[in-house]
PDB file of all heavy atoms in Angstrom:
ATOM      1  N   ARG M   6      -5.903  22.402  -0.536  1.00  0.00           N
ATOM      2  CA  ARG M   6      -7.122  21.614  -0.827  1.00  0.00           C
ATOM      3  C   ARG M   6      -8.163  21.811   0.260  1.00  0.00           C
ATOM      4  O   ARG M   6      -7.852  21.867   1.466  1.00  0.00           O
ATOM      5  CB  ARG M   6      -6.827  20.215  -1.096  1.00  0.00           C
ATOM      6  CG  ARG M   6      -6.009  19.969  -2.270  1.00  0.00           C
ATOM      7  CD  ARG M   6      -5.553  18.470  -2.404  1.00  0.00           C
ATOM      8  NE  ARG M   6      -6.644  17.603  -2.819  1.00  0.00           N
ATOM      9  CZ  ARG M   6      -6.889  17.420  -4.101  1.00  0.00           C
ATOM     10  NH1 ARG M   6      -6.217  17.817  -5.055  1.00  0.00           N
ATOM     11  NH2 ARG M   6      -7.984  16.528  -4.401  1.00  0.00           N
ATOM     12  N   VAL M  20       0.042   3.450   3.663  1.00  0.00           N
ATOM     13  CA  VAL M  20       0.829   3.582   2.547  1.00  0.00           C
ATOM     14  C   VAL M  20       2.289   3.761   2.773  1.00  0.00           C
ATOM     15  O   VAL M  20       2.704   4.726   3.606  1.00  0.00           O
ATOM     16  CB  VAL M  20       0.279   4.791   1.656  1.00  0.00           C
ATOM     17  CG1 VAL M  20       1.199   5.092   0.385  1.00  0.00           C
ATOM     18  CG2 VAL M  20      -1.182   4.522   1.232  1.00  0.00           C
ATOM     19  N   ALA M  22       6.176   4.508   1.982  1.00  0.00           N
ATOM     20  CA  ALA M  22       6.982   5.344   1.014  1.00  0.00           C
ATOM     21  C   ALA M  22       8.439   5.390   1.595  1.00  0.00           C
ATOM     22  O   ALA M  22       8.997   6.420   1.751  1.00  0.00           O
ATOM     23  CB  ALA M  22       6.416   6.728   0.797  1.00  0.00           C
ATOM     24  N   LYS M  35      11.338   8.393  -4.880  1.00  0.00           N
ATOM     25  CA  LYS M  35      10.448   8.283  -6.051  1.00  0.00           C
ATOM     26  C   LYS M  35       9.013   8.602  -5.768  1.00  0.00           C
ATOM     27  O   LYS M  35       8.218   9.062  -6.524  1.00  0.00           O
ATOM     28  CB  LYS M  35      10.658   6.979  -6.803  1.00  0.00           C
ATOM     29  CG  LYS M  35      10.249   5.727  -5.911  1.00  0.00           C
ATOM     30  CD  LYS M  35      10.530   4.513  -6.578  1.00  0.00           C
ATOM     31  CE  LYS M  35      10.240   3.249  -5.662  1.00  0.00           C
ATOM     32  NZ  LYS M  35      10.732   1.979  -6.368  1.00  0.00           N
ATOM     33  N   ALA M  36       8.573   8.300  -4.489  1.00  0.00           N
ATOM     34  CA  ALA M  36       7.189   8.523  -4.099  1.00  0.00           C
ATOM     35  C   ALA M  36       6.716   9.924  -4.275  1.00  0.00           C
ATOM     36  O   ALA M  36       5.505  10.260  -4.291  1.00  0.00           O
ATOM     37  CB  ALA M  36       6.913   7.996  -2.619  1.00  0.00           C
ATOM     38  N   PHE M  37       7.670  10.873  -4.223  1.00  0.00           N
ATOM     39  CA  PHE M  37       7.465  12.220  -4.318  1.00  0.00           C
ATOM     40  C   PHE M  37       7.671  12.869  -5.705  1.00  0.00           C
ATOM     41  O   PHE M  37       7.562  14.152  -5.783  1.00  0.00           O
ATOM     42  CB  PHE M  37       8.099  12.997  -3.250  1.00  0.00           C
ATOM     43  CG  PHE M  37       7.756  12.543  -1.836  1.00  0.00           C
ATOM     44  CD1 PHE M  37       8.625  11.676  -1.198  1.00  0.00           C
ATOM     45  CD2 PHE M  37       6.472  12.747  -1.289  1.00  0.00           C
ATOM     46  CE1 PHE M  37       8.271  11.078   0.114  1.00  0.00           C
ATOM     47  CE2 PHE M  37       6.169  12.187  -0.072  1.00  0.00           C
ATOM     48  CZ  PHE M  37       7.023  11.427   0.694  1.00  0.00           C
ATOM     49  N   LEU M  38       8.018  12.059  -6.635  1.00  0.00           N
ATOM     50  CA  LEU M  38       8.154  12.527  -7.991  1.00  0.00           C
ATOM     51  C   LEU M  38       6.805  12.842  -8.542  1.00  0.00           C
ATOM     52  O   LEU M  38       5.769  12.270  -8.238  1.00  0.00           O
ATOM     53  CB  LEU M  38       8.837  11.503  -8.893  1.00  0.00           C
ATOM     54  CG  LEU M  38      10.295  11.236  -8.600  1.00  0.00           C
ATOM     55  CD1 LEU M  38      10.770  10.069  -9.364  1.00  0.00           C
ATOM     56  CD2 LEU M  38      11.194  12.455  -8.879  1.00  0.00           C
ATOM     57  N   PRO M  39       6.651  13.877  -9.461  1.00  0.00           N
ATOM     58  CA  PRO M  39       5.360  14.219 -10.069  1.00  0.00           C
ATOM     59  C   PRO M  39       4.811  13.229 -11.082  1.00  0.00           C
ATOM     60  O   PRO M  39       5.663  12.688 -11.868  1.00  0.00           O
ATOM     61  CB  PRO M  39       5.636  15.570 -10.689  1.00  0.00           C
ATOM     62  CG  PRO M  39       7.089  15.551 -10.996  1.00  0.00           C
ATOM     63  CD  PRO M  39       7.869  14.782  -9.951  1.00  0.00           C
ATOM     64  N   LEU M  40       3.518  13.020 -11.047  1.00  0.00           N
ATOM     65  CA  LEU M  40       2.882  12.134 -12.017  1.00  0.00           C
ATOM     66  C   LEU M  40       1.566  12.839 -12.362  1.00  0.00           C
ATOM     67  O   LEU M  40       0.572  12.782 -11.489  1.00  0.00           O
ATOM     68  CB  LEU M  40       2.658  10.733 -11.529  1.00  0.00           C
ATOM     69  CG  LEU M  40       1.802   9.811 -12.377  1.00  0.00           C
ATOM     70  CD1 LEU M  40       2.419   9.639 -13.760  1.00  0.00           C
ATOM     71  CD2 LEU M  40       1.593   8.539 -11.675  1.00  0.00           C
ATOM     72  N   GLY M  42       0.247  15.899 -12.255  1.00  0.00           N
ATOM     73  CA  GLY M  42      -0.410  16.809 -11.389  1.00  0.00           C
ATOM     74  C   GLY M  42      -0.419  16.608  -9.948  1.00  0.00           C
ATOM     75  O   GLY M  42      -0.813  17.407  -9.195  1.00  0.00           O
ATOM     76  N   ARG M  43       0.163  15.444  -9.542  1.00  0.00           N
ATOM     77  CA  ARG M  43       0.356  15.213  -8.168  1.00  0.00           C
ATOM     78  C   ARG M  43       1.494  14.243  -8.036  1.00  0.00           C
ATOM     79  O   ARG M  43       2.022  13.672  -8.976  1.00  0.00           O
ATOM     80  CB  ARG M  43      -0.860  14.623  -7.482  1.00  0.00           C
ATOM     81  CG  ARG M  43      -1.346  13.232  -7.778  1.00  0.00           C
ATOM     82  CD  ARG M  43      -2.255  12.559  -6.791  1.00  0.00           C
ATOM     83  NE  ARG M  43      -3.518  13.325  -6.649  1.00  0.00           N
ATOM     84  CZ  ARG M  43      -4.745  12.773  -6.742  1.00  0.00           C
ATOM     85  NH1 ARG M  43      -4.781  11.506  -7.044  1.00  0.00           N
ATOM     86  NH2 ARG M  43      -5.721  13.464  -6.578  1.00  0.00           N
ATOM     87  N   SER M  44       1.999  13.962  -6.772  1.00  0.00           N
ATOM     88  CA  SER M  44       3.063  13.141  -6.551  1.00  0.00           C
ATOM     89  C   SER M  44       2.567  11.610  -6.794  1.00  0.00           C
ATOM     90  O   SER M  44       1.411  11.333  -6.761  1.00  0.00           O
ATOM     91  CB  SER M  44       3.606  13.189  -5.085  1.00  0.00           C
ATOM     92  OG  SER M  44       2.647  12.824  -4.215  1.00  0.00           O
ATOM     93  N   ILE M  45       3.563  10.776  -7.006  1.00  0.00           N
ATOM     94  CA  ILE M  45       3.240   9.350  -7.187  1.00  0.00           C
ATOM     95  C   ILE M  45       2.525   8.897  -5.945  1.00  0.00           C
ATOM     96  O   ILE M  45       1.534   8.073  -6.022  1.00  0.00           O
ATOM     97  CB  ILE M  45       4.603   8.589  -7.429  1.00  0.00           C
ATOM     98  CG1 ILE M  45       5.130   8.825  -8.707  1.00  0.00           C
ATOM     99  CG2 ILE M  45       4.439   7.076  -7.180  1.00  0.00           C
ATOM    100  CD1 ILE M  45       6.538   8.226  -9.008  1.00  0.00           C
ATOM    101  N   ALA M  46       3.024   9.154  -4.829  1.00  0.00           N
ATOM    102  CA  ALA M  46       2.336   8.794  -3.514  1.00  0.00           C
ATOM    103  C   ALA M  46       0.894   9.291  -3.425  1.00  0.00           C
ATOM    104  O   ALA M  46       0.026   8.694  -2.893  1.00  0.00           O
ATOM    105  CB  ALA M  46       3.176   9.151  -2.248  1.00  0.00           C
ATOM    106  N   GLY M  47       0.674  10.544  -3.821  1.00  0.00           N
ATOM    107  CA  GLY M  47      -0.664  11.157  -3.777  1.00  0.00           C
ATOM    108  C   GLY M  47      -1.664  10.361  -4.467  1.00  0.00           C
ATOM    109  O   GLY M  47      -2.802  10.331  -3.989  1.00  0.00           O
ATOM    110  N   TRP M  48      -1.361   9.764  -5.562  1.00  0.00           N
ATOM    111  CA  TRP M  48      -2.396   9.025  -6.337  1.00  0.00           C
ATOM    112  C   TRP M  48      -2.969   7.770  -5.433  1.00  0.00           C
ATOM    113  O   TRP M  48      -4.130   7.680  -5.254  1.00  0.00           O
ATOM    114  CB  TRP M  48      -1.822   8.416  -7.621  1.00  0.00           C
ATOM    115  CG  TRP M  48      -1.581   9.437  -8.674  1.00  0.00           C
ATOM    116  CD1 TRP M  48      -0.575  10.220  -8.834  1.00  0.00           C
ATOM    117  CD2 TRP M  48      -2.601   9.674  -9.640  1.00  0.00           C
ATOM    118  NE1 TRP M  48      -0.755  11.036  -9.975  1.00  0.00           N
ATOM    119  CE2 TRP M  48      -2.086  10.702 -10.518  1.00  0.00           C
ATOM    120  CE3 TRP M  48      -3.785   9.217 -10.026  1.00  0.00           C
ATOM    121  CZ2 TRP M  48      -2.671  11.294 -11.596  1.00  0.00           C
ATOM    122  CZ3 TRP M  48      -4.508   9.891 -11.101  1.00  0.00           C
ATOM    123  CH2 TRP M  48      -3.961  10.806 -11.838  1.00  0.00           C
ATOM    124  N   GLY M  49      -2.026   6.929  -4.963  1.00  0.00           N
ATOM    125  CA  GLY M  49      -2.529   5.769  -4.121  1.00  0.00           C
ATOM    126  C   GLY M  49      -3.135   6.243  -2.759  1.00  0.00           C
ATOM    127  O   GLY M  49      -4.159   5.682  -2.430  1.00  0.00           O
ATOM    128  N   LEU M  50      -2.665   7.295  -2.218  1.00  0.00           N
ATOM    129  CA  LEU M  50      -3.245   7.843  -1.004  1.00  0.00           C
ATOM    130  C   LEU M  50      -4.679   8.225  -1.195  1.00  0.00           C
ATOM    131  O   LEU M  50      -5.701   7.908  -0.429  1.00  0.00           O
ATOM    132  CB  LEU M  50      -2.484   8.995  -0.461  1.00  0.00           C
ATOM    133  CG  LEU M  50      -1.145   8.613   0.270  1.00  0.00           C
ATOM    134  CD1 LEU M  50      -0.247   9.861   0.370  1.00  0.00           C
ATOM    135  CD2 LEU M  50      -1.303   8.056   1.607  1.00  0.00           C
ATOM    136  N   ASN M  51      -5.037   8.967  -2.282  1.00  0.00           N
ATOM    137  CA  ASN M  51      -6.305   9.366  -2.512  1.00  0.00           C
ATOM    138  C   ASN M  51      -7.214   8.255  -2.959  1.00  0.00           C
ATOM    139  O   ASN M  51      -8.456   8.185  -2.567  1.00  0.00           O
ATOM    140  CB  ASN M  51      -6.337  10.417  -3.596  1.00  0.00           C
ATOM    141  CG  ASN M  51      -6.028  11.838  -3.076  1.00  0.00           C
ATOM    142  OD1 ASN M  51      -6.837  12.371  -2.316  1.00  0.00           O
ATOM    143  ND2 ASN M  51      -4.951  12.294  -3.344  1.00  0.00           N
ATOM    144  N   THR M  52      -6.717   7.218  -3.595  1.00  0.00           N
ATOM    145  CA  THR M  52      -7.462   6.044  -4.033  1.00  0.00           C
ATOM    146  C   THR M  52      -7.932   5.337  -2.752  1.00  0.00           C
ATOM    147  O   THR M  52      -9.111   5.007  -2.610  1.00  0.00           O
ATOM    148  CB  THR M  52      -6.749   5.088  -4.990  1.00  0.00           C
ATOM    149  OG1 THR M  52      -6.507   5.861  -6.125  1.00  0.00           O
ATOM    150  CG2 THR M  52      -7.583   3.883  -5.221  1.00  0.00           C
ATOM    151  N   LEU M  53      -6.999   5.010  -1.827  1.00  0.00           N
ATOM    152  CA  LEU M  53      -7.431   4.366  -0.620  1.00  0.00           C
ATOM    153  C   LEU M  53      -8.301   5.114   0.199  1.00  0.00           C
ATOM    154  O   LEU M  53      -9.272   4.614   0.837  1.00  0.00           O
ATOM    155  CB  LEU M  53      -6.170   3.980   0.185  1.00  0.00           C
ATOM    156  CG  LEU M  53      -5.617   2.476   0.042  1.00  0.00           C
ATOM    157  CD1 LEU M  53      -5.250   2.204  -1.429  1.00  0.00           C
ATOM    158  CD2 LEU M  53      -4.490   2.206   0.998  1.00  0.00           C
ATOM    159  N   ALA M  54      -8.167   6.483   0.245  1.00  0.00           N
ATOM    160  CA  ALA M  54      -8.981   7.305   1.073  1.00  0.00           C
ATOM    161  C   ALA M  54     -10.544   7.265   0.541  1.00  0.00           C
ATOM    162  O   ALA M  54     -11.407   7.430   1.243  1.00  0.00           O
ATOM    163  CB  ALA M  54      -8.576   8.705   1.054  1.00  0.00           C
ATOM    164  N   LEU M  62      -5.973   6.917   7.455  1.00  0.00           N
ATOM    165  CA  LEU M  62      -4.941   6.720   6.443  1.00  0.00           C
ATOM    166  C   LEU M  62      -3.660   7.072   7.060  1.00  0.00           C
ATOM    167  O   LEU M  62      -3.350   8.291   7.542  1.00  0.00           O
ATOM    168  CB  LEU M  62      -5.221   7.579   5.245  1.00  0.00           C
ATOM    169  CG  LEU M  62      -4.713   7.059   3.911  1.00  0.00           C
ATOM    170  CD1 LEU M  62      -5.190   5.720   3.595  1.00  0.00           C
ATOM    171  CD2 LEU M  62      -5.045   8.096   2.758  1.00  0.00           C
ATOM    172  N   PHE M  64       0.590   7.362   6.539  1.00  0.00           N
ATOM    173  CA  PHE M  64       1.593   7.493   5.602  1.00  0.00           C
ATOM    174  C   PHE M  64       2.879   7.326   6.119  1.00  0.00           C
ATOM    175  O   PHE M  64       3.285   8.134   7.058  1.00  0.00           O
ATOM    176  CB  PHE M  64       1.390   8.969   4.896  1.00  0.00           C
ATOM    177  CG  PHE M  64       2.256   9.150   3.689  1.00  0.00           C
ATOM    178  CD1 PHE M  64       2.591   8.195   2.820  1.00  0.00           C
ATOM    179  CD2 PHE M  64       2.604  10.516   3.315  1.00  0.00           C
ATOM    180  CE1 PHE M  64       3.298   8.356   1.653  1.00  0.00           C
ATOM    181  CE2 PHE M  64       3.278  10.764   2.078  1.00  0.00           C
ATOM    182  CZ  PHE M  64       3.674   9.742   1.396  1.00  0.00           C
ATOM    183  N   HIS M  73       8.314  16.617   2.540  1.00  0.00           N
ATOM    184  CA  HIS M  73       7.577  16.205   1.414  1.00  0.00           C
ATOM    185  C   HIS M  73       6.225  15.640   1.731  1.00  0.00           C
ATOM    186  O   HIS M  73       5.196  15.889   1.126  1.00  0.00           O
ATOM    187  CB  HIS M  73       8.324  15.177   0.490  1.00  0.00           C
ATOM    188  CG  HIS M  73       9.629  15.652  -0.078  1.00  0.00           C
ATOM    189  ND1 HIS M  73       9.600  16.777  -0.977  1.00  0.00           N
ATOM    190  CD2 HIS M  73      10.921  15.294   0.144  1.00  0.00           C
ATOM    191  CE1 HIS M  73      10.872  17.045  -1.372  1.00  0.00           C
ATOM    192  NE2 HIS M  73      11.605  16.142  -0.697  1.00  0.00           N
ATOM    193  N   VAL M  77       2.392  16.773   0.700  1.00  0.00           N
ATOM    194  CA  VAL M  77       1.293  15.912   0.203  1.00  0.00           C
ATOM    195  C   VAL M  77       0.040  15.932   0.938  1.00  0.00           C
ATOM    196  O   VAL M  77      -1.114  15.952   0.440  1.00  0.00           O
ATOM    197  CB  VAL M  77       1.811  14.433   0.021  1.00  0.00           C
ATOM    198  CG1 VAL M  77       0.703  13.445  -0.330  1.00  0.00           C
ATOM    199  CG2 VAL M  77       2.967  14.379  -0.979  1.00  0.00           C
ATOM    200  N   ASP M  78       0.148  15.943   2.343  1.00  0.00           N
ATOM    201  CA  ASP M  78      -0.930  16.004   3.214  1.00  0.00           C
ATOM    202  C   ASP M  78      -1.767  17.319   3.048  1.00  0.00           C
ATOM    203  O   ASP M  78      -2.940  17.292   2.915  1.00  0.00           O
ATOM    204  CB  ASP M  78      -0.419  15.844   4.608  1.00  0.00           C
ATOM    205  CG  ASP M  78      -1.577  15.940   5.676  1.00  0.00           C
ATOM    206  OD1 ASP M  78      -2.718  15.389   5.350  1.00  0.00           O
ATOM    207  OD2 ASP M  78      -1.379  16.416   6.798  1.00  0.00           O
ATOM    208  N   ARG M  80      -1.625  19.651   0.485  1.00  0.00           N
ATOM    209  CA  ARG M  80      -1.926  20.013  -0.845  1.00  0.00           C
ATOM    210  C   ARG M  80      -2.477  18.955  -1.764  1.00  0.00           C
ATOM    211  O   ARG M  80      -3.029  19.396  -2.867  1.00  0.00           O
ATOM    212  CB  ARG M  80      -0.618  20.589  -1.510  1.00  0.00           C
ATOM    213  CG  ARG M  80       0.054  21.687  -0.665  1.00  0.00           C
ATOM    214  CD  ARG M  80      -0.734  22.970  -0.704  1.00  0.00           C
ATOM    215  NE  ARG M  80      -0.052  24.052   0.036  1.00  0.00           N
ATOM    216  CZ  ARG M  80      -0.392  25.276   0.067  1.00  0.00           C
ATOM    217  NH1 ARG M  80      -1.539  25.648  -0.610  1.00  0.00           N
ATOM    218  NH2 ARG M  80       0.269  26.203   0.830  1.00  0.00           N
ATOM    219  N   GLU M  81      -2.318  17.730  -1.536  1.00  0.00           N
ATOM    220  CA  GLU M  81      -2.633  16.772  -2.558  1.00  0.00           C
ATOM    221  C   GLU M  81      -3.715  15.767  -2.111  1.00  0.00           C
ATOM    222  O   GLU M  81      -4.218  15.042  -2.870  1.00  0.00           O
ATOM    223  CB  GLU M  81      -1.414  15.954  -2.951  1.00  0.00           C
ATOM    224  CG  GLU M  81      -0.352  16.850  -3.659  1.00  0.00           C
ATOM    225  CD  GLU M  81       0.723  15.970  -4.167  1.00  0.00           C
ATOM    226  OE1 GLU M  81       0.747  14.817  -3.970  1.00  0.00           O
ATOM    227  OE2 GLU M  81       1.633  16.575  -4.785  1.00  0.00           O
ATOM    228  N   THR M  82      -4.167  15.748  -0.819  1.00  0.00           N
ATOM    229  CA  THR M  82      -5.061  14.765  -0.404  1.00  0.00           C
ATOM    230  C   THR M  82      -6.335  15.536   0.173  1.00  0.00           C
ATOM    231  O   THR M  82      -6.244  16.613   0.660  1.00  0.00           O
ATOM    232  CB  THR M  82      -4.557  13.857   0.734  1.00  0.00           C
ATOM    233  OG1 THR M  82      -4.012  14.680   1.754  1.00  0.00           O
ATOM    234  CG2 THR M  82      -3.438  13.003   0.187  1.00  0.00           C
ATOM    235  N   ASP M  83      -7.471  14.905   0.064  1.00  0.00           N
ATOM    236  CA  ASP M  83      -8.686  15.485   0.394  1.00  0.00           C
ATOM    237  C   ASP M  83      -9.066  15.306   1.891  1.00  0.00           C
ATOM    238  O   ASP M  83      -9.923  16.021   2.369  1.00  0.00           O
ATOM    239  CB  ASP M  83      -9.902  14.790  -0.411  1.00  0.00           C
ATOM    240  CG  ASP M  83      -9.666  15.056  -1.893  1.00  0.00           C
ATOM    241  OD1 ASP M  83      -9.214  16.117  -2.310  1.00  0.00           O
ATOM    242  OD2 ASP M  83      -9.998  14.208  -2.728  1.00  0.00           O
ATOM    243  N   LEU M  86      -3.907  12.994   6.774  1.00  0.00           N
ATOM    244  CA  LEU M  86      -3.061  11.857   6.802  1.00  0.00           C
ATOM    245  C   LEU M  86      -2.405  11.688   8.207  1.00  0.00           C
ATOM    246  O   LEU M  86      -2.223  12.806   8.772  1.00  0.00           O
ATOM    247  CB  LEU M  86      -1.967  11.870   5.825  1.00  0.00           C
ATOM    248  CG  LEU M  86      -2.299  12.035   4.369  1.00  0.00           C
ATOM    249  CD1 LEU M  86      -1.030  12.154   3.541  1.00  0.00           C
ATOM    250  CD2 LEU M  86      -3.250  10.896   3.889  1.00  0.00           C
ATOM    251  N   HIS M 121      -0.281  -0.778   1.434  1.00  0.00           N
ATOM    252  CA  HIS M 121       0.029  -0.521   0.012  1.00  0.00           C
ATOM    253  C   HIS M 121       1.331   0.179  -0.169  1.00  0.00           C
ATOM    254  O   HIS M 121       1.771   1.005   0.622  1.00  0.00           O
ATOM    255  CB  HIS M 121      -1.213   0.442  -0.548  1.00  0.00           C
ATOM    256  CG  HIS M 121      -1.068   0.777  -2.007  1.00  0.00           C
ATOM    257  ND1 HIS M 121      -1.130  -0.242  -2.988  1.00  0.00           N
ATOM    258  CD2 HIS M 121      -0.983   1.987  -2.660  1.00  0.00           C
ATOM    259  CE1 HIS M 121      -1.097   0.351  -4.192  1.00  0.00           C
ATOM    260  NE2 HIS M 121      -0.989   1.558  -4.028  1.00  0.00           N
ATOM    261  N   ALA M 123       3.497   2.944  -1.925  1.00  0.00           N
ATOM    262  CA  ALA M 123       3.299   4.298  -2.575  1.00  0.00           C
ATOM    263  C   ALA M 123       3.780   4.151  -4.074  1.00  0.00           C
ATOM    264  O   ALA M 123       3.322   4.933  -4.873  1.00  0.00           O
ATOM    265  CB  ALA M 123       4.073   5.294  -1.791  1.00  0.00           C
ATOM    266  N   ALA M 124       4.683   3.301  -4.377  1.00  0.00           N
ATOM    267  CA  ALA M 124       5.277   3.191  -5.714  1.00  0.00           C
ATOM    268  C   ALA M 124       4.382   2.589  -6.734  1.00  0.00           C
ATOM    269  O   ALA M 124       4.698   2.331  -7.932  1.00  0.00           O
ATOM    270  CB  ALA M 124       6.579   2.473  -5.638  1.00  0.00           C
ATOM    271  N   ARG M 125       3.030   2.183  -6.226  1.00  0.00           N
ATOM    272  CA  ARG M 125       2.043   1.655  -7.204  1.00  0.00           C
ATOM    273  C   ARG M 125       0.897   2.712  -7.249  1.00  0.00           C
ATOM    274  O   ARG M 125      -0.046   2.534  -6.654  1.00  0.00           O
ATOM    275  CB  ARG M 125       1.486   0.393  -6.660  1.00  0.00           C
ATOM    276  CG  ARG M 125       2.552  -0.799  -6.725  1.00  0.00           C
ATOM    277  CD  ARG M 125       1.921  -2.091  -6.253  1.00  0.00           C
ATOM    278  NE  ARG M 125       2.956  -3.127  -6.174  1.00  0.00           N
ATOM    279  CZ  ARG M 125       3.268  -4.020  -7.185  1.00  0.00           C
ATOM    280  NH1 ARG M 125       2.671  -3.861  -8.319  1.00  0.00           N
ATOM    281  NH2 ARG M 125       4.108  -4.931  -6.973  1.00  0.00           N
ATOM    282  N   PRO M 126       1.151   3.791  -8.050  1.00  0.00           N
ATOM    283  CA  PRO M 126       0.189   4.918  -7.964  1.00  0.00           C
ATOM    284  C   PRO M 126      -1.187   4.618  -8.593  1.00  0.00           C
ATOM    285  O   PRO M 126      -2.077   5.315  -8.342  1.00  0.00           O
ATOM    286  CB  PRO M 126       0.935   6.049  -8.720  1.00  0.00           C
ATOM    287  CG  PRO M 126       1.834   5.258  -9.731  1.00  0.00           C
ATOM    288  CD  PRO M 126       2.267   4.063  -8.886  1.00  0.00           C
ATOM    289  N   LEU M 127      -1.261   3.736  -9.553  1.00  0.00           N
ATOM    290  CA  LEU M 127      -2.463   3.571 -10.358  1.00  0.00           C
ATOM    291  C   LEU M 127      -3.358   2.454  -9.869  1.00  0.00           C
ATOM    292  O   LEU M 127      -4.201   1.977 -10.709  1.00  0.00           O
ATOM    293  CB  LEU M 127      -2.075   3.370 -11.765  1.00  0.00           C
ATOM    294  CG  LEU M 127      -1.219   4.643 -12.393  1.00  0.00           C
ATOM    295  CD1 LEU M 127      -0.985   4.411 -13.831  1.00  0.00           C
ATOM    296  CD2 LEU M 127      -1.838   5.967 -12.144  1.00  0.00           C
ATOM    297  N   VAL M 128      -3.272   2.081  -8.657  1.00  0.00           N
ATOM    298  CA  VAL M 128      -4.267   1.053  -8.135  1.00  0.00           C
ATOM    299  C   VAL M 128      -5.594   1.738  -8.199  1.00  0.00           C
ATOM    300  O   VAL M 128      -5.795   2.872  -8.113  1.00  0.00           O
ATOM    301  CB  VAL M 128      -3.872   0.702  -6.572  1.00  0.00           C
ATOM    302  CG1 VAL M 128      -3.874   1.954  -5.747  1.00  0.00           C
ATOM    303  CG2 VAL M 128      -4.851  -0.290  -6.078  1.00  0.00           C
ATOM    304  N   ARG M 249      -7.771  11.473 -13.633  1.00  0.00           N
ATOM    305  CA  ARG M 249      -7.628  12.984 -13.186  1.00  0.00           C
ATOM    306  C   ARG M 249      -6.846  12.985 -11.777  1.00  0.00           C
ATOM    307  O   ARG M 249      -7.115  12.236 -10.945  1.00  0.00           O
ATOM    308  CB  ARG M 249      -9.089  13.605 -12.993  1.00  0.00           C
ATOM    309  CG  ARG M 249      -9.771  13.753 -14.262  1.00  0.00           C
ATOM    310  CD  ARG M 249     -11.208  14.307 -13.983  1.00  0.00           C
ATOM    311  NE  ARG M 249     -11.080  15.542 -13.407  1.00  0.00           N
ATOM    312  CZ  ARG M 249     -12.252  16.158 -12.976  1.00  0.00           C
ATOM    313  NH1 ARG M 249     -13.358  15.653 -13.015  1.00  0.00           N
ATOM    314  NH2 ARG M 249     -12.089  17.414 -12.338  1.00  0.00           N
ATOM    315  N   SER M 250      -6.068  13.944 -11.575  1.00  0.00           N
ATOM    316  CA  SER M 250      -5.258  14.102 -10.359  1.00  0.00           C
ATOM    317  C   SER M 250      -6.068  14.800  -9.318  1.00  0.00           C
ATOM    318  O   SER M 250      -5.634  14.712  -8.058  1.00  0.00           O
ATOM    319  CB  SER M 250      -3.985  14.802 -10.682  1.00  0.00           C
ATOM    320  OG  SER M 250      -4.253  16.186 -11.064  1.00  0.00           O
ATOM    321  N   GLY M 251      -7.076  15.508  -9.663  1.00  0.00           N
ATOM    322  CA  GLY M 251      -7.792  16.279  -8.538  1.00  0.00           C
ATOM    323  C   GLY M 251      -9.251  15.801  -8.371  1.00  0.00           C
ATOM    324  O   GLY M 251      -9.712  14.927  -9.003  1.00  0.00           O
TER     325      GLY M 251
END
Side-chain angles (χ1 to χ4, degrees):
R6 297 172 70 93
V20 176
K35 63 187 174 186
F37 301 103
L38 292 172
L40 172 61
R43 69 159 63 126
S44 66
I45 287 173
W48 284 88
L50 285 162
N51 277 293
T52 297
L53 260 63
L62 208 56
F64 192 24
H73 292 301
V77 170
D78 180 32
R80 305 288 182 173
E81 296 187 358
T82 56
D83 298 324
L86 306 178
H121 184 61
R125 294 183 186 271
L127 301 184
V128 59
R249 298 175 59 187
S250 64

